Amino acid sequence: MDFDHYTDPGVGVAVNLANSLGWPSGTEHLRTPADVCDLLDAQGIEGYGSVEEPDLVALRKLRPELRAIFEAPDEKTAAARINALLARSGAAPQMTDHDGKWHLHYAAEDAPFVDRITALSAMALATVVVNWGWERLGVCNAEDCADVFVDTSRNKSRRYCAPSCSTRTNVAAFRARHKERA
């Protein structure tokens, strides 16, 4: 499943930001402003300007709020959490053609950095929930992982954040079955 050219990057930022504190190790993946730039660049986010230490601190504070959306017990809770982020970010969709084609920006270009990232991430998650359903937001089923993901499968069947978690879990189950038989 492909989202539109503006939702894809926002979903990627939301997922990668939520997962930027390693689990269960607690490894911090956002150590420097350069790490934030790398995260944004990897999603094709441009024009965010310079990232400073206060921006890094603010994004670390945003991280558990994004994770809480994926961990919500029901659709209404997820929607309420998304709406709270949208309200706090001051999201105000506006059309822009700065790159030669029209698209939406969810915050003013002069808005504080964290508000722009919050609005982008929250709008992307809102778009997923509205267009494809709350069930598309998931937390990895592997015992040793709690990374979040957006399910892009056709039949909403994804249960793991990455093929490596799926493979590891399936191999462990296979070995356990064969051990029982022996």
Side-chain angles (χ1 to χ4, degrees):
M1 167 187 299
D2 290 322
F3 304 117
D4 64 52
H5 73 279
Y6 202 62
T7 302
D8 270 337
V11 166
V13 168
V15 167
N16 287 312
L17 187 55
N19 292 335
S20 66
L21 184 61
W23 192 95
S25 67
T27 302
E28 178 62 69
H29 297 288
L30 290 181
R31 296 176 303 275
T32 67
D35 293 332
V36 174
C37 294
D38 291 344
L39 184 150
L40 298 174
D41 290 344
Q43 299 307 315
I45 306 293
E46 299 174 350
Y48 51 81
S50 65
V51 179
E52 305 298 331
E53 192 69 26
D55 300 320
L56 173 65
V57 171
L59 286 182
R60 286 180 182 160
K61 289 179 182 176
L62 174 62
R63 178 171 47 205
E65 294 177 272
L66 288 171
R67 175 169 282 284
I69 294 167
F70 290 87
E71 295 172 342
D74 55 58
E75 189 172 30
K76 285 190 181 270
T77 304
R81 290 174 179 170
I82 291 169
N83 285 337
L85 286 180
L86 289 171
R88 192 178 77 226
S89 73
Q94 26 188 305
M95 293 176 59
T96 180
D97 68 345
H98 66 82
D99 61 357
K101 55 188 168 194
W102 288 106
H103 62 273
L104 288 173
H105 276 198
Y106 300 121
E109 289 186 35
D110 61 347
F113 174 80
V114 73
D115 290 345
R116 289 183 283 140
I117 298 303
T118 301
L120 173 69
S121 298
M123 280 301 300
L125 295 177
T127 300
V128 169
V129 171
V130 167
N131 292 333
W132 294 282
W134 168 70
E135 306 84 16
R136 294 287 182 176
L137 306 181
V139 179
C140 188
N141 278 358
E143 283 187 28
D144 58 347
C145 184
D147 279 353
V148 301
F149 62 89
V150 174
D151 182 354
T152 57
S153 68
R154 287 186 178 161
N155 59 357
K156 299 181 186 179
S157 62
R158 186 168 166 189
R159 297 184 352 235
Y160 300 98
C161 67
S164 58
C165 281
S166 174
T167 300
R168 192 173 58 254
T169 301
N170 290 329
V171 167
F174 174 82
R175 289 179 178 160
R177 283 193 307 273
H178 284 291
K179 187 176 182 179
E180 284 177 10
R181 291 179 189 159

PDB file of all heavy atoms in Angstrom, residues 13 34 56 80 133 157:
ATOM      1  N   VAL A  13       8.371   9.365   9.456  1.00  0.00           N
ATOM      2  CA  VAL A  13       8.900  10.148  10.570  1.00  0.00           C
ATOM      3  C   VAL A  13       8.244   9.705  11.876  1.00  0.00           C
ATOM      4  O   VAL A  13       8.925   9.500  12.884  1.00  0.00           O
ATOM      5  CB  VAL A  13       8.695  11.669  10.337  1.00  0.00           C
ATOM      6  CG1 VAL A  13       8.976  12.462  11.598  1.00  0.00           C
ATOM      7  CG2 VAL A  13       9.600  12.143   9.211  1.00  0.00           C
ATOM      8  N   ALA A  34      22.331  16.043  14.508  1.00  0.00           N
ATOM      9  CA  ALA A  34      22.641  15.389  13.231  1.00  0.00           C
ATOM     10  C   ALA A  34      21.836  14.101  13.066  1.00  0.00           C
ATOM     11  O   ALA A  34      21.442  13.754  11.945  1.00  0.00           O
ATOM     12  CB  ALA A  34      24.137  15.098  13.131  1.00  0.00           C
ATOM     13  N   LEU A  56      16.088  18.784  19.457  1.00  0.00           N
ATOM     14  CA  LEU A  56      16.341  17.386  19.799  1.00  0.00           C
ATOM     15  C   LEU A  56      15.606  17.013  21.087  1.00  0.00           C
ATOM     16  O   LEU A  56      14.926  15.987  21.153  1.00  0.00           O
ATOM     17  CB  LEU A  56      17.846  17.162  19.953  1.00  0.00           C
ATOM     18  CG  LEU A  56      18.311  15.809  20.457  1.00  0.00           C
ATOM     19  CD1 LEU A  56      17.963  14.718  19.467  1.00  0.00           C
ATOM     20  CD2 LEU A  56      19.817  15.845  20.708  1.00  0.00           C
ATOM     21  N   ALA A  80      -8.188  10.509  19.746  1.00  0.00           N
ATOM     22  CA  ALA A  80      -8.050  11.585  20.734  1.00  0.00           C
ATOM     23  C   ALA A  80      -6.588  11.992  20.891  1.00  0.00           C
ATOM     24  O   ALA A  80      -6.273  13.188  21.004  1.00  0.00           O
ATOM     25  CB  ALA A  80      -8.633  11.147  22.078  1.00  0.00           C
ATOM     26  N   GLY A 133      -7.976   2.858   8.246  1.00  0.00           N
ATOM     27  CA  GLY A 133      -8.394   2.217   9.480  1.00  0.00           C
ATOM     28  C   GLY A 133      -7.334   2.186  10.564  1.00  0.00           C
ATOM     29  O   GLY A 133      -6.140   2.090  10.294  1.00  0.00           O
ATOM     30  N   SER A 157      -2.681  -7.850   7.557  1.00  0.00           N
ATOM     31  CA  SER A 157      -2.209  -9.056   8.226  1.00  0.00           C
ATOM     32  C   SER A 157      -0.844  -8.916   8.900  1.00  0.00           C
ATOM     33  O   SER A 157      -0.377  -9.855   9.530  1.00  0.00           O
ATOM     34  CB  SER A 157      -2.149 -10.203   7.219  1.00  0.00           C
ATOM     35  OG  SER A 157      -1.223  -9.895   6.189  1.00  0.00           O
TER      36      SER A 157
END
